Amino acid sequence: MATLDLGTDLLSLTRALCDLPSVSGDERAIADAVEGALTRYAHLEVLRDGDAVVARTHTGRPSRVVIAGHLDTVPIADNLPTRLIGEGALAELWGRGTVDMKAGVAVQLALAAELTEPTHDVTWVFYDHEEVAADLNGLGRLVRNHPDWVAGDFAVLCEPTNGGLEGGCNGTLRAEVRLAGVAAHSARAWMGRNAIHAAGEVLRRLEAYTPAEVEVDGLVYRESLNAVLISGGTAANVIPDACVVTVNYRFAPSASVEQATEHVRELFDGFDVVLTDAAPGARPGLDDPAAQDFARAVLGVTGGVPAAKYGWTDVARFSELGVPAVNFGPGDPLLAHKDDEHCPVGQITLAHAALRAWLTS
């Protein structure tokens, strides 16, 4: 079993986390390593559900904060093991997970081990299956199975924010636009109806679509609606009788899932549209006193500014629980899931210093 040394430097810890297998559905090894590392610290109560690990302090502080991060990544693309490029202040760690979000997890683990007397009681959450369908999400499972494990007065998701603070998040839905045809021999195509050709109109509507930019509580959220998968056909000499175009809509948190679904149905009026997965967004919540205290503490160290989170994150789950939550962590979110994913080493150190300042002030 792989082991992690939480007392080592942040760069080495981040590399060790990135180089452990952890594509969604294959988090067992990294969850075992995280659990094994945390159980060495007497000030932490360590709990586990599947491949989600929770560590809690019990110091009797009047408030409790939840600091969470996911252990899984999207599939690798010849970008592991990690590579260190540059030296000193210009050093960058390249590889899958460096941005999304092993650098943030490394900061969590280092602080969980280090802070025996934080100014808030802290629940550290490390969970599985964030990068896949919402119903598999490990934090969602914890909320359903053990709501007391993730209870708190304020929450932080250590998602990449480039050292700034990102409020709320877009909602997300996936839908299938299903097209029906009539099968025939390709040598006698006039006897059938080509379902793949029928997808052309779906793609033209998407090509002509202009995504909205929506202001919510002072932050501007950029929407997007795209085809992300397409499938159809049975053989090279058969006119296809079915085709499916899967679309992904990232919508502003001012809209509900129902409103977003209706928007997609309106765009593809005349087609069979089937919703397959959806999760609501979260409003910024930066007017909450706990969020304002957090912003003053961490942005005073990083010099970042509040902005909107364009992607979906689990702040939405905390929002549904009535817990104010924000995104804060090292790494440029624009590099998440890219083949050239990389994170400045100095930003990992800065995020650690900022969270430490908040938890010890």
Side-chain angles (χ1 to χ4, degrees):
M1 184 178 73
T3 59
L4 293 171
D5 178 5
L6 305 190
T8 190
D9 62 277
L10 284 167
L11 173 59
S12 298
L13 181 55
T14 304
R15 297 192 75 166
L17 288 164
C18 290
D19 291 340
L20 279 169
S22 57
V23 173
S24 302
D26 189 25
E27 297 102 324
R28 177 58 53 85
I30 193 169
D32 287 346
V34 166
E35 181 185 25
L38 291 169
T39 54
R40 301 187 192 111
Y41 294 87
H43 67 281
L44 295 172
E45 175 195 20
V46 180
L47 307 163
R48 182 159 175 175
D49 180 291
D51 288 331
V53 180
V54 174
R56 301 189 293 191
T57 65
H58 294 284
T59 63
R61 300 287 191 256
S63 62
R64 177 172 290 278
V65 297
V66 183
I67 304 178
H70 63 85
L71 297 173
D72 60 322
T73 70
V74 296
I76 63 173
D78 282 337
N79 51 2
L80 284 182
T82 52
R83 295 176 294 135
L84 185 64
I85 297 180
E87 297 180 355
L90 299 178
E92 296 175 334
L93 185 61
W94 285 61
R96 176 65 77 226
T98 51
V99 170
D100 193 11
M101 57 170 289
K102 300 298 179 55
V105 170
V107 169
Q108 285 182 260
L109 286 169
L111 289 171
E114 175 186 351
L115 299 181
T116 60
E117 293 287 336
T119 51
H120 306 272
D121 265 314
V122 185
T123 299
W124 304 95
V125 181
F126 308 89
Y127 60 99
D128 56 292
H129 284 90
E130 192 271 349
E131 299 288 7
V132 288
D135 62 332
L136 298 175
N137 184 290
L139 182 59
R141 188 179 66 252
L142 289 175
V143 169
R144 292 190 301 271
N145 296 347
H146 309 284
D148 57 307
W149 290 10
V150 292
D153 302 296
F154 181 66
V156 179
L157 267 293
C158 289
E159 290 277 355
T161 62
N162 232 4
L165 186 156
E166 294 185 340
C169 68
N170 280 339
T172 182
L173 71 77
R174 279 181 283 271
E176 293 181 348
V177 183
R178 298 178 179 177
L179 306 134
V182 176
H185 196 294
S186 60
R188 294 173 287 279
W190 61 89
M191 297 298 294
R193 187 173 68 252
N194 196 310
I196 291 179
H197 290 183
E201 175 60 21
V202 173
L203 300 179
R204 282 189 290 273
R205 292 187 191 183
L206 285 169
E207 188 176 30
Y209 180 81
T210 301
E213 294 188 6
V214 183
E215 183 173 336
V216 182
D217 299 340
L219 299 181
V220 176
Y221 292 82
R222 181 180 297 178
E223 297 192 333
S224 64
L225 178 56
N226 293 280
V228 291
L229 293 170
I230 188 165
S231 62
T234 57
N237 60 350
V238 177
I239 297 300
D241 62 355
C243 180
V244 175
V245 180
T246 300
V247 298
N248 181 209
Y249 180 32
R250 302 295 179 124
F251 53 93
S254 53
S256 66
V257 168
E258 292 74 21
Q259 290 169 324
T261 302
E262 182 58 29
H263 179 69
V264 172
R265 292 190 188 281
E266 287 176 357
L267 179 65
F268 298 114
D269 183 44
F271 293 97
D272 181 19
V273 178
V274 178
L275 181 69
T276 59
D277 184 42
R283 300 181 78 93
L286 297 182
D287 55 349
D288 185 275
Q292 293 174 353
D293 288 344
F294 177 82
R296 279 192 292 270
V298 300
L299 299 184
V301 175
T302 68
V305 296
K309 169 60 78 176
Y310 292 147
W312 185 92
T313 76
D314 280 299
V315 294
R317 297 190 187 279
F318 288 107
S319 179
E320 286 186 299
L321 293 172
V323 178
V326 297
N327 304 281
F328 173 79
D332 183 349
L334 298 180
L335 293 173
H337 300 188
K338 291 177 64 67
D339 292 351
D340 61 348
E341 184 175 354
H342 60 277
C343 182
V345 175
Q347 205 171 93
I348 305 173
T349 304
L350 197 63
H352 175 273
L355 280 178
R356 192 183 192 285
W358 173 55
L359 291 170
T360 58
S361 61

